[in-house]
Amino acid sequence: MSGRAPAPGGLARVERLVNTLSVDTGDDRLAAEFGLSGAALADAAELREALREALLAHAGHAFPAGAADRLNRLLAAAPLTVRVDAAGAAVLVPAGEPSLASEVAEAVAGAAADGTWTRLKACAADDCRWAYYDRSPAGRGRWCSMSACGSRAKMRTYRARG
């Protein structure tokens, strides 16, 4: 679990969604944190794991076959439209009833447009997979926390050379 500052803008919501599941303990706070139940909870859990796969790809892992199609299908269920305000500024808004999926779609679209989407990553540690925003200058961060996950990975590599 990272002590990093949250991701900027709408990506903070995506980061928060992905981080509702602690991979190492199995603690799942999705229902409590987002107030979901039934089919909406199942859909949100599927969206969370599809996002985690994309964030792992941002960190250099292979994007599993079909993962992009799965995420595209989930986001297509939350279409967006462009609205122009009185000052002429354009914003994306849900085309239908606002939902968690539409909030995620809006955040991903905005982050893709401003170049920050690929900086939201999932920790490379198999027992972590925590989402974090990579603020490193080169954008090559691999772990949510260098002092915890990164340190353990480097120690394992060092011992394996032994």
Side-chain angles (χ1 to χ4, degrees), residues 20-153:
T20 57
L21 175 67
S22 178
V23 173
D24 62 336
T25 66
D27 179 34
D28 192 337
R29 300 178 330 277
L30 182 59
E33 202 151 323
F34 286 88
L36 301 170
S37 62
L41 179 59
D43 291 346
E46 185 180 9
L47 178 59
R48 173 185 64 197
E49 296 314 311
L51 287 164
R52 189 183 317 277
E53 289 174 336
L55 303 187
L56 281 166
H58 293 171
H61 293 260
F63 205 19
D69 291 338
R70 177 179 170 207
L71 187 52
N72 287 334
R73 176 181 53 79
L74 293 165
L75 294 177
L80 302 174
T81 188
V82 177
R83 295 268 189 238
V84 178
D85 66 17
V91 294
L92 289 172
V93 296
E97 188 68 30
S99 66
L100 179 59
S102 66
E103 290 176 22
V104 168
E106 183 180 349
V108 170
D114 70 17
T116 59
W117 169 235
T118 58
R119 290 222 175 219
L120 189 61
K121 300 178 178 184
C123 183
D126 290 334
D127 60 345
C128 181
R129 301 297 194 219
W130 206 250
Y132 68 94
Y133 188 78
D134 183 2
R135 288 183 165 78
S136 67
R140 293 187 184 157
R142 294 183 33 108
W143 299 285
C144 66
S145 166
M146 192 58 210
S147 63
C149 294
S151 211
R152 285 194 311 261

